[in-house]
Amino acid sequence: MRGVIMHSPGHVSVQDRPDPRIEKPTDAIIRLAATCICGSDLWPYRGANDVHDAPMGHEYVGYVTEVGADVRTVKVGDFVVGSFMASDNTCEICSAGYQSRCVDVVGMGGVGTQAQFARIPHADGTLVATPEPPAEDLIPSYLAASDVLGTGWFAADAAEAGPGKTVVVVGDGAVGLMGVLAAQQMGAERIIAMSRHADRQALAREFGATDIVAERGDAGVAAVRELTGGLGAHSVIEAVGTQESMMQAVRSTRAGGHVGFVGVSHGVELPGDKLFYSAVHLHGGPAPVRRYLPDLLQRIADRTIDPGKVFDLRIPLEQAAEGYRAMDQREAIKVLLTL
Amino acid sequence: MRGVIMHSPGHVSVQDRPDPRIEKPTDAIIRLAATCICGSDLWPYRGANDVHDAPMGHEYVGYVTEVGADVRTVKVGDFVVGSFMASDNTCEICSAGYQSRCVDVVGMGGVGTQAQFARIPHADGTLVATPEPPAEDLIPSYLAASDVLGTGWFAADAAEAGPGKTVVVVGDGAVGLMGVLAAQQMGAERIIAMSRHADRQALAREFGATDIVAERGDAGVAAVRELTGGLGAHSVIEAVGTQESMMQAVRSTRAGGHVGFVGVSHGVELPGDKLFYSAVHLHGGPAPVRRYLPDLLQRIADRTIDPGKVFDLRIPLEQAAEGYRAMDQREAIKVLLTL
């Protein structure tokens, strides 16, 4: 089969890779219907993480082609969506809703789903099938559920977005935009998107943002305070992962408010005294997307939400290198790879 | 009147200070029935904070002797308890339960309640009167409510201690011990106190600890994991404020669990990646003790709890210097100053 390999920072190609096969009786094999490039794939692309001839990709939707002997809940032919973290969905941590930290978790990044086929560990725990094969135009939205929608949803949930709340979203990448959508669906009264890019501001407004703040740092904090009676927001979503974005988030939150942080943390050191006196709640990490999948798939099937809009460039898998370049250069928010 | 002054680190004396007077119509003056020395007073005593001829003390119980023209809810003669943070209890932040971050907050440390009399700002918002003058033996417990009990209670609440939960308490000072008591009152199934001191271990058990872990660092984390099926605790109270104690707390918590941190943060830098992958909830800061006072005073009046036991040394105000020395040397857990 064909699949993406990142040879070194900035160097991506599509190569022949071995077809995946059932390795454990709890595995399934899927034929990808679509896959995509994640903002977090840019960390190794930009040299922030080590990388050497690694298969890439952890987002996926597709059709089951084979199941292991112990698989019970999905069958050949099902159209399925799974999270970027494969989980048994039965352990004590999964049962508490933290499937991304399952005691038997398998990161799908190691599998590499920017490919024609993929092996899905813990198929019963990981995959959720749609009731029927999806309309072609819904596939991008289902694909979004695999990571960015689920991650933005978790961030909004961790930030306790809801009726009567003012929500700030720090980060205008795909996850931040999905955070806007999630906050809107959760009934937030006001959603302030922090963005300096006109195209992303427009998409944020489409997803439900009521206000845009283009400033950052002290000026950004001041702008949020201005919009919130001097107190700061009730709920803040952090979707970048840098020192600046984390402090932007903490400082934009009122005492007793909630920060949901999902940007993969790089080089962040949170000053304890600032956190102490902020009196905010802080919760985040790798999103337990599996927790939300049944609900998200229903909202997509019902056409209540259209998260697939976040893909503003669609190109064939064979042109993955161009997709990475476009995302790195911020020419695209998120790139869908067709198969 | 007589009151404590800290001249410089390690140098405390009791001096004549001006009698307090009503400065704003919302003030009250109280005659202290008892006061005490806080673990946080040891930070300047040990040179970790700057200090120069400062009045000391922020914990207090006593009798109202005078009220300003606008005071409505307390009257001369009432026996009252207040928090170490004076708050209006009407602003949006107070209404959300974060009185320690009231928009008009006044820190009582600046007032200095290790004295015969004290001015209490925002008297209506800050003070809670007992229904009748308390029995003499309950005064230490009411005094504990002013800070350490309320702070330990907030920590247990922030850590979401409750039925079915395993709670770890990091720190065996007065606040940690009050955290044990709070977790027990909230119905926690198992309470693991981390302590290396036999006398504090004994008091922790008296307050409700079911297990003691004497190890720290990696060995402490391993011991907690051993006691929790390898997963870590649901709820962890941090009551120290150092880098070591914060990381001990985060690392002792299971994914999706809750850390309530109330140790005043000194020199702490939380590594973002560790926090991200821990997937814990983190909440803390200066405890909004006022939120809990009515409930706590009732439990004390009913003799349901006996937090006053945390005072293991009682000496006259005039001997405050000896009290500081004893706490600094860990000869006493917490020192009550009689008047």
PDB file of all heavy atoms in Angstrom, chain A residues 153 156 160-167 179-191 208 299:
ATOM      1  N   TRP A 153     -13.820  19.760  21.263  1.00  0.00           N
ATOM      2  CA  TRP A 153     -14.983  19.480  22.114  1.00  0.00           C
ATOM      3  C   TRP A 153     -14.544  19.237  23.548  1.00  0.00           C
ATOM      4  O   TRP A 153     -15.120  19.769  24.504  1.00  0.00           O
ATOM      5  CB  TRP A 153     -15.746  18.261  21.578  1.00  0.00           C
ATOM      6  CG  TRP A 153     -17.193  18.263  21.938  1.00  0.00           C
ATOM      7  CD1 TRP A 153     -17.761  17.787  23.083  1.00  0.00           C
ATOM      8  CD2 TRP A 153     -18.261  18.781  21.136  1.00  0.00           C
ATOM      9  NE1 TRP A 153     -19.123  17.967  23.040  1.00  0.00           N
ATOM     10  CE2 TRP A 153     -19.459  18.561  21.858  1.00  0.00           C
ATOM     11  CE3 TRP A 153     -18.327  19.393  19.871  1.00  0.00           C
ATOM     12  CZ2 TRP A 153     -20.706  18.944  21.358  1.00  0.00           C
ATOM     13  CZ3 TRP A 153     -19.573  19.764  19.387  1.00  0.00           C
ATOM     14  CH2 TRP A 153     -20.737  19.549  20.118  1.00  0.00           C
ATOM     15  N   ALA A 156     -13.519  22.485  25.193  1.00  0.00           N
ATOM     16  CA  ALA A 156     -14.685  23.277  25.604  1.00  0.00           C
ATOM     17  C   ALA A 156     -15.346  22.666  26.832  1.00  0.00           C
ATOM     18  O   ALA A 156     -15.801  23.383  27.737  1.00  0.00           O
ATOM     19  CB  ALA A 156     -15.689  23.378  24.454  1.00  0.00           C
ATOM     20  N   GLU A 160     -15.554  24.043  30.730  1.00  0.00           N
ATOM     21  CA  GLU A 160     -16.932  24.187  31.227  1.00  0.00           C
ATOM     22  C   GLU A 160     -17.719  25.263  30.485  1.00  0.00           C
ATOM     23  O   GLU A 160     -18.460  26.067  31.080  1.00  0.00           O
ATOM     24  CB  GLU A 160     -16.953  24.392  32.750  1.00  0.00           C
ATOM     25  CG  GLU A 160     -16.277  23.224  33.474  1.00  0.00           C
ATOM     26  CD  GLU A 160     -16.805  22.908  34.861  1.00  0.00           C
ATOM     27  OE1 GLU A 160     -17.549  23.729  35.423  1.00  0.00           O
ATOM     28  OE2 GLU A 160     -16.480  21.816  35.360  1.00  0.00           O
ATOM     29  N   ALA A 161     -17.550  25.275  29.163  1.00  0.00           N
ATOM     30  CA  ALA A 161     -18.377  26.148  28.327  1.00  0.00           C
ATOM     31  C   ALA A 161     -19.841  25.742  28.496  1.00  0.00           C
ATOM     32  O   ALA A 161     -20.133  24.561  28.673  1.00  0.00           O
ATOM     33  CB  ALA A 161     -17.953  26.011  26.870  1.00  0.00           C
ATOM     34  N   GLY A 162     -20.731  26.722  28.447  1.00  0.00           N
ATOM     35  CA  GLY A 162     -22.140  26.397  28.595  1.00  0.00           C
ATOM     36  C   GLY A 162     -22.978  27.667  28.630  1.00  0.00           C
ATOM     37  O   GLY A 162     -22.449  28.774  28.478  1.00  0.00           O
ATOM     38  N   PRO A 163     -24.275  27.512  28.849  1.00  0.00           N
ATOM     39  CA  PRO A 163     -25.171  28.665  28.861  1.00  0.00           C
ATOM     40  C   PRO A 163     -24.716  29.722  29.871  1.00  0.00           C
ATOM     41  O   PRO A 163     -24.280  29.387  30.969  1.00  0.00           O
ATOM     42  CB  PRO A 163     -26.514  28.053  29.266  1.00  0.00           C
ATOM     43  CG  PRO A 163     -26.420  26.629  28.818  1.00  0.00           C
ATOM     44  CD  PRO A 163     -24.986  26.239  29.022  1.00  0.00           C
ATOM     45  N   GLY A 164     -24.797  30.982  29.470  1.00  0.00           N
ATOM     46  CA  GLY A 164     -24.438  32.083  30.361  1.00  0.00           C
ATOM     47  C   GLY A 164     -22.952  32.356  30.429  1.00  0.00           C
ATOM     48  O   GLY A 164     -22.537  33.324  31.064  1.00  0.00           O
ATOM     49  N   LYS A 165     -22.158  31.533  29.780  1.00  0.00           N
ATOM     50  CA  LYS A 165     -20.704  31.666  29.887  1.00  0.00           C
ATOM     51  C   LYS A 165     -20.120  32.480  28.728  1.00  0.00           C
ATOM     52  O   LYS A 165     -20.609  32.403  27.596  1.00  0.00           O
ATOM     53  CB  LYS A 165     -20.040  30.281  29.862  1.00  0.00           C
ATOM     54  CG  LYS A 165     -20.450  29.335  30.987  1.00  0.00           C
ATOM     55  CD  LYS A 165     -19.796  29.683  32.297  1.00  0.00           C
ATOM     56  CE  LYS A 165     -20.040  28.615  33.353  1.00  0.00           C
ATOM     57  NZ  LYS A 165     -19.170  27.441  33.253  1.00  0.00           N
ATOM     58  N   THR A 166     -19.073  33.223  29.053  1.00  0.00           N
ATOM     59  CA  THR A 166     -18.233  33.837  28.031  1.00  0.00           C
ATOM     60  C   THR A 166     -17.002  32.949  27.854  1.00  0.00           C
ATOM     61  O   THR A 166     -16.314  32.644  28.828  1.00  0.00           O
ATOM     62  CB  THR A 166     -17.796  35.250  28.451  1.00  0.00           C
ATOM     63  OG1 THR A 166     -18.951  36.091  28.496  1.00  0.00           O
ATOM     64  CG2 THR A 166     -16.797  35.830  27.451  1.00  0.00           C
ATOM     65  N   VAL A 167     -16.780  32.542  26.614  1.00  0.00           N
ATOM     66  CA  VAL A 167     -15.695  31.612  26.295  1.00  0.00           C
ATOM     67  C   VAL A 167     -14.677  32.323  25.416  1.00  0.00           C
ATOM     68  O   VAL A 167     -15.039  32.940  24.411  1.00  0.00           O
ATOM     69  CB  VAL A 167     -16.246  30.377  25.544  1.00  0.00           C
ATOM     70  CG1 VAL A 167     -15.110  29.397  25.212  1.00  0.00           C
ATOM     71  CG2 VAL A 167     -17.332  29.692  26.354  1.00  0.00           C
ATOM     72  N   GLY A 179     -13.063  24.292  18.737  1.00  0.00           N
ATOM     73  CA  GLY A 179     -13.425  24.726  20.090  1.00  0.00           C
ATOM     74  C   GLY A 179     -14.532  25.766  20.047  1.00  0.00           C
ATOM     75  O   GLY A 179     -15.444  25.758  20.882  1.00  0.00           O
ATOM     76  N   VAL A 180     -14.450  26.663  19.070  1.00  0.00           N
ATOM     77  CA  VAL A 180     -15.518  27.655  18.870  1.00  0.00           C
ATOM     78  C   VAL A 180     -16.837  26.949  18.586  1.00  0.00           C
ATOM     79  O   VAL A 180     -17.872  27.230  19.213  1.00  0.00           O
ATOM     80  CB  VAL A 180     -15.166  28.621  17.710  1.00  0.00           C
ATOM     81  CG1 VAL A 180     -16.367  29.498  17.365  1.00  0.00           C
ATOM     82  CG2 VAL A 180     -13.944  29.483  18.061  1.00  0.00           C
ATOM     83  N   LEU A 181     -16.783  25.993  17.667  1.00  0.00           N
ATOM     84  CA  LEU A 181     -17.986  25.235  17.298  1.00  0.00           C
ATOM     85  C   LEU A 181     -18.562  24.506  18.520  1.00  0.00           C
ATOM     86  O   LEU A 181     -19.781  24.523  18.760  1.00  0.00           O
ATOM     87  CB  LEU A 181     -17.629  24.229  16.194  1.00  0.00           C
ATOM     88  CG  LEU A 181     -18.717  23.230  15.784  1.00  0.00           C
ATOM     89  CD1 LEU A 181     -19.914  23.944  15.174  1.00  0.00           C
ATOM     90  CD2 LEU A 181     -18.160  22.201  14.790  1.00  0.00           C
ATOM     91  N   ALA A 182     -17.676  23.880  19.283  1.00  0.00           N
ATOM     92  CA  ALA A 182     -18.117  23.131  20.468  1.00  0.00           C
ATOM     93  C   ALA A 182     -18.778  24.064  21.478  1.00  0.00           C
ATOM     94  O   ALA A 182     -19.847  23.759  22.023  1.00  0.00           O
ATOM     95  CB  ALA A 182     -16.932  22.407  21.102  1.00  0.00           C
ATOM     96  N   ALA A 183     -18.134  25.221  21.731  1.00  0.00           N
ATOM     97  CA  ALA A 183     -18.687  26.175  22.697  1.00  0.00           C
ATOM     98  C   ALA A 183     -20.075  26.645  22.248  1.00  0.00           C
ATOM     99  O   ALA A 183     -20.991  26.800  23.065  1.00  0.00           O
ATOM    100  CB  ALA A 183     -17.742  27.363  22.872  1.00  0.00           C
ATOM    101  N   GLN A 184     -20.205  26.853  20.937  1.00  0.00           N
ATOM    102  CA  GLN A 184     -21.505  27.280  20.391  1.00  0.00           C
ATOM    103  C   GLN A 184     -22.562  26.198  20.613  1.00  0.00           C
ATOM    104  O   GLN A 184     -23.677  26.475  21.056  1.00  0.00           O
ATOM    105  CB  GLN A 184     -21.323  27.604  18.885  1.00  0.00           C
ATOM    106  CG  GLN A 184     -22.558  28.156  18.191  1.00  0.00           C
ATOM    107  CD  GLN A 184     -23.452  27.057  17.650  1.00  0.00           C
ATOM    108  OE1 GLN A 184     -22.981  25.977  17.298  1.00  0.00           O
ATOM    109  NE2 GLN A 184     -24.761  27.336  17.607  1.00  0.00           N
ATOM    110  N   GLN A 185     -22.188  24.949  20.349  1.00  0.00           N
ATOM    111  CA  GLN A 185     -23.129  23.833  20.527  1.00  0.00           C
ATOM    112  C   GLN A 185     -23.494  23.648  21.999  1.00  0.00           C
ATOM    113  O   GLN A 185     -24.585  23.186  22.319  1.00  0.00           O
ATOM    114  CB  GLN A 185     -22.505  22.536  19.982  1.00  0.00           C
ATOM    115  CG  GLN A 185     -22.458  22.485  18.466  1.00  0.00           C
ATOM    116  CD  GLN A 185     -23.832  22.244  17.865  1.00  0.00           C
ATOM    117  OE1 GLN A 185     -24.491  21.275  18.189  1.00  0.00           O
ATOM    118  NE2 GLN A 185     -24.275  23.151  17.013  1.00  0.00           N
ATOM    119  N   MET A 186     -22.543  23.980  22.888  1.00  0.00           N
ATOM    120  CA  MET A 186     -22.805  23.826  24.321  1.00  0.00           C
ATOM    121  C   MET A 186     -23.611  25.000  24.881  1.00  0.00           C
ATOM    122  O   MET A 186     -23.918  25.028  26.072  1.00  0.00           O
ATOM    123  CB  MET A 186     -21.477  23.679  25.083  1.00  0.00           C
ATOM    124  CG  MET A 186     -20.764  22.372  24.765  1.00  0.00           C
ATOM    125  SD  MET A 186     -19.128  22.246  25.573  1.00  0.00           S
ATOM    126  CE  MET A 186     -18.496  20.738  24.785  1.00  0.00           C
ATOM    127  N   GLY A 187     -23.925  25.971  24.023  1.00  0.00           N
ATOM    128  CA  GLY A 187     -24.829  27.040  24.434  1.00  0.00           C
ATOM    129  C   GLY A 187     -24.159  28.259  25.039  1.00  0.00           C
ATOM    130  O   GLY A 187     -24.828  29.060  25.711  1.00  0.00           O
ATOM    131  N   ALA A 188     -22.853  28.425  24.813  1.00  0.00           N
ATOM    132  CA  ALA A 188     -22.155  29.592  25.375  1.00  0.00           C
ATOM    133  C   ALA A 188     -22.825  30.883  24.909  1.00  0.00           C
ATOM    134  O   ALA A 188     -23.311  30.987  23.784  1.00  0.00           O
ATOM    135  CB  ALA A 188     -20.687  29.589  24.963  1.00  0.00           C
ATOM    136  N   GLU A 189     -22.832  31.870  25.817  1.00  0.00           N
ATOM    137  CA  GLU A 189     -23.506  33.129  25.518  1.00  0.00           C
ATOM    138  C   GLU A 189     -22.671  33.986  24.579  1.00  0.00           C
ATOM    139  O   GLU A 189     -23.201  34.659  23.686  1.00  0.00           O
ATOM    140  CB  GLU A 189     -23.727  33.878  26.829  1.00  0.00           C
ATOM    141  CG  GLU A 189     -24.478  35.163  26.681  1.00  0.00           C
ATOM    142  CD  GLU A 189     -24.864  35.717  28.049  1.00  0.00           C
ATOM    143  OE1 GLU A 189     -25.521  34.970  28.806  1.00  0.00           O
ATOM    144  OE2 GLU A 189     -24.503  36.875  28.352  1.00  0.00           O
ATOM    145  N   ARG A 190     -21.349  33.952  24.806  1.00  0.00           N
ATOM    146  CA  ARG A 190     -20.458  34.815  24.055  1.00  0.00           C
ATOM    147  C   ARG A 190     -19.189  34.021  23.777  1.00  0.00           C
ATOM    148  O   ARG A 190     -18.686  33.338  24.680  1.00  0.00           O
ATOM    149  CB  ARG A 190     -20.127  36.031  24.911  1.00  0.00           C
ATOM    150  CG  ARG A 190     -19.427  37.131  24.200  1.00  0.00           C
ATOM    151  CD  ARG A 190     -19.391  38.356  25.107  1.00  0.00           C
ATOM    152  NE  ARG A 190     -19.104  39.532  24.328  1.00  0.00           N
ATOM    153  CZ  ARG A 190     -19.008  40.745  24.836  1.00  0.00           C
ATOM    154  NH1 ARG A 190     -19.202  40.943  26.123  1.00  0.00           N
ATOM    155  NH2 ARG A 190     -18.727  41.786  24.065  1.00  0.00           N
ATOM    156  N   ILE A 191     -18.678  34.094  22.572  1.00  0.00           N
ATOM    157  CA  ILE A 191     -17.470  33.343  22.210  1.00  0.00           C
ATOM    158  C   ILE A 191     -16.489  34.311  21.557  1.00  0.00           C
ATOM    159  O   ILE A 191     -16.772  34.871  20.486  1.00  0.00           O
ATOM    160  CB  ILE A 191     -17.789  32.181  21.247  1.00  0.00           C
ATOM    161  CG1 ILE A 191     -18.822  31.245  21.891  1.00  0.00           C
ATOM    162  CG2 ILE A 191     -16.512  31.417  20.886  1.00  0.00           C
ATOM    163  CD1 ILE A 191     -19.383  30.188  20.952  1.00  0.00           C
ATOM    164  N   GLY A 208     -19.501  30.243  15.085  1.00  0.00           N
ATOM    165  CA  GLY A 208     -20.238  30.730  16.258  1.00  0.00           C
ATOM    166  C   GLY A 208     -19.562  31.819  17.072  1.00  0.00           C
ATOM    167  O   GLY A 208     -20.125  32.261  18.076  1.00  0.00           O
ATOM    168  N   ARG A 299     -24.520  14.127  15.721  1.00  0.00           N
ATOM    169  CA  ARG A 299     -24.697  15.529  15.298  1.00  0.00           C
ATOM    170  C   ARG A 299     -24.289  15.725  13.842  1.00  0.00           C
ATOM    171  O   ARG A 299     -24.860  16.567  13.133  1.00  0.00           O
ATOM    172  CB  ARG A 299     -23.861  16.465  16.183  1.00  0.00           C
ATOM    173  CG  ARG A 299     -24.394  16.610  17.607  1.00  0.00           C
ATOM    174  CD  ARG A 299     -23.442  17.423  18.465  1.00  0.00           C
ATOM    175  NE  ARG A 299     -23.727  17.261  19.879  1.00  0.00           N
ATOM    176  CZ  ARG A 299     -24.261  18.203  20.658  1.00  0.00           C
ATOM    177  NH1 ARG A 299     -24.543  19.396  20.169  1.00  0.00           N
ATOM    178  NH2 ARG A 299     -24.489  17.979  21.938  1.00  0.00           N
TER     179      ARG A 299
END
